């Protein structure tokens, strides 16, 4: 039986598809273009079109699709695109799963640490409620659409993902050119916690969740060792053997530079603990930031 993956061409999706195929699993990628072969099937969330036949009898679905939060300035139009790509895309997928004669056993649906809003310096796990702000509300709506798959008998895991570390893209990939010039600096006060996870651990944790039938509901995908932004800056500079700028970038300057995303995505504090993964016996490969950075740089 196949495992269906949306967002399969992204940073995480590409790594996950490779790992699944290395295990000998059949993978079908949902794509927005003409399928290139039996390993692909068509869907177009903006048009409300999806190949239901490709979903029938699938073992699992991993739903990662969604417009990037940090790649573009948040205009009103782009904020609507962030909502549409997550909420409406998930609704289309889940409606299709609910209409199947043989729905998949499990749906893993992406979400984000931003669900929790700004939680300051206290540790939080999956029992923490929803926070405030645009991203928290977006994550809640995203997760609510995914959870409807449970009505079709699917086990649903909502993956609240921290910053994924990879030199090939994501937040770290965008930081590296600046840090390699020795211009990295703390953001705002630098005291806000950043939760992070290596790409290898994200993929391994997702495989662990697919196989562990006791894991469902919200699942934090982040290292058990979140760090402050100041520590992240200092550690990344050391790993690159580059200096960093001691003066932090003020919040107002960040807002001028990247707009609303600075207040919503860079300055909030998330000291997130992956309680469900730890309790289920998952063993992280990277629990120290310096080790994780050296492994991916």
């Amino acid at each position: 039986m196949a495992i269906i993956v949306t967002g399969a061409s992204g940073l995480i999706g590409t790594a996950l598809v490779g790992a699944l195929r290395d295990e000998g699993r059949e993978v079908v990628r949902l794509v927005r273009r003409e399928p290139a072969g039996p390993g692909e099937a068509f869907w177009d969330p903006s048009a409300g079109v999806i190949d239901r036949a490709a979903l029938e009898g699938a073992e699992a679905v991993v739903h990662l699709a969604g417009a990037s939060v940090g790649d573009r300035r948040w205009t009103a139009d782009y904020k609507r695109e962030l909502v549409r790509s997550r909420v409406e895309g998930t609704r289309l997928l889940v409606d299709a799963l609910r209409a199947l004669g043989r729905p998949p056993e499990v749906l893993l649906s992406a979400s984000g640490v931003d669900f929790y809003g700004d939680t300051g310096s206290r540790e939080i796990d999956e029992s923490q409620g929803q926070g405030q702000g645009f991203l928290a509300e977006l994550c809640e709506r995203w997760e609510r659409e995914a959870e409807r798959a449970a009505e079709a008998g699917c086990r649903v895991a909502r993956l609240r993902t921290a910053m994924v570390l990879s030199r090939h893209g994501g937040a770290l990939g965008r930081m590296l050119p600046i840090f390699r010039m020795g211009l990295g600096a703390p953001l705002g006060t630098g005291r806000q916690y950043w939760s992070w996870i290596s790409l290898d651990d994200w993929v391994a944790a997702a495989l662990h969740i697919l196989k562990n039938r006791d894991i469902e509901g919200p699942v934090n995908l982040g290292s058990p060792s979140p760090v402050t932004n100041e520590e992240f800056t200092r550690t990344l500079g050391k790993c690159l053997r580059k200096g960093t700028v001691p003066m932090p970038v003020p919040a107002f300057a960040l807002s001028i530079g990247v707009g609303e995303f600075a207040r919503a995505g860079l300055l909030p504090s998330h000291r997130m603990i992956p309680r469900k993964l730890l309790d289920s016996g998952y063993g992280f490969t990277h629990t120290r930031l310096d080790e994780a950075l050296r492994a991916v740089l």
Side-chain angles (χ1 to χ4, degrees), residues 16 62 108 159 201-211 221 277:
L16 177 64
V62 184
L108 270 55
L159 310 181
D201 265 319
W202 193 101
V203 170
L207 296 178
H208 176 79
I209 296 166
L210 281 172
K211 298 168 185 174
L221 262 63
L277 282 177

Side-chain angles (χ1 to χ4, degrees), residues 17-270:
V17 169
L20 288 167
R21 288 178 172 162
D22 285 346
E23 287 191 345
R25 313 292 286 274
E26 179 187 355
V27 179
V28 175
R29 303 163 72 245
L30 285 190
V31 297
R32 294 181 174 90
R33 50 168 173 74
E34 185 70 23
E40 296 182 346
F42 180 74
W43 82 320
D44 183 352
S46 63
V49 175
I50 189 168
D51 184 352
R52 290 187 181 181
L55 303 175
E56 189 71 55
E59 176 184 356
V61 175
V62 184
H63 177 42
L64 305 174
S68 175
V69 170
D71 282 355
R72 290 175 51 185
R73 198 173 183 90
W74 285 9
T75 63
D77 284 345
Y78 194 63
K79 287 175 74 173
R80 284 191 288 271
E81 173 62 16
L82 291 174
V83 174
R84 185 202 61 77
S85 67
R86 286 164 172 75
V87 176
E88 296 180 15
T90 306
R91 182 181 303 141
L92 172 66
L93 175 63
V94 171
D95 283 348
L97 297 181
R98 285 159 57 102
L100 297 176
R102 292 179 298 161
E105 176 187 330
V106 58
L107 167 65
L108 270 55
S109 188
S111 183
V113 63
D114 304 291
F115 174 90
Y116 298 114
D118 189 337
T119 54
S121 61
R122 71 182 187 278
E123 290 187 349
I124 56 171
D125 60 19
E126 291 88 349
S127 65
Q128 175 75 28
Q130 178 195 340
Q132 297 181 341
F134 171 74
L135 288 178
E137 293 172 4
L138 174 56
C139 287
E140 190 279 331
R141 293 179 62 187
W142 195 7
E143 292 189 14
R144 194 184 336 143
E145 292 295 337
E147 192 60 35
R148 295 189 303 115
E151 298 171 13
C154 297
R155 173 171 62 93
V156 180
R158 310 189 305 276
L159 310 181
R160 294 176 180 167
T161 298
M163 181 197 315
V164 178
L165 302 184
S166 170
R167 68 179 180 275
H168 300 298
L172 178 61
R174 292 191 291 272
M175 292 180 205
L176 286 178
I178 297 171
F179 274 79
R180 283 179 171 139
M181 292 188 291
L183 299 177
L187 305 180
T189 67
R191 293 192 295 270
Q192 70 272 27
Y193 276 85
W194 276 13
S195 288
W196 58 272
I197 186 170
S198 70
L199 180 58
D200 286 348
D201 265 319
W202 193 101
V203 170
L207 296 178
H208 176 79
I209 296 166
L210 281 172
K211 298 168 185 174
N212 192 321
R213 296 182 179 182
D214 294 329
I215 303 177
E216 60 184 348
V219 184
N220 290 343
L221 262 63
S223 160
S225 306
V227 298
T228 64
N229 170 257
E230 182 179 19
E231 183 178 349
F232 188 98
T233 300
R234 183 172 60 252
T235 304
L236 179 54
K238 286 182 178 179
C239 289
L240 291 171
R241 298 182 179 179
K242 295 287 185 179
T244 56
V245 179
M247 292 295 293
V249 181
F252 76 86
L254 286 170
S255 295
I256 292 171
V258 299
E260 186 180 352
F261 174 64
R263 297 188 302 276
L266 298 176
L267 298 175
S269 184
H270 309 115

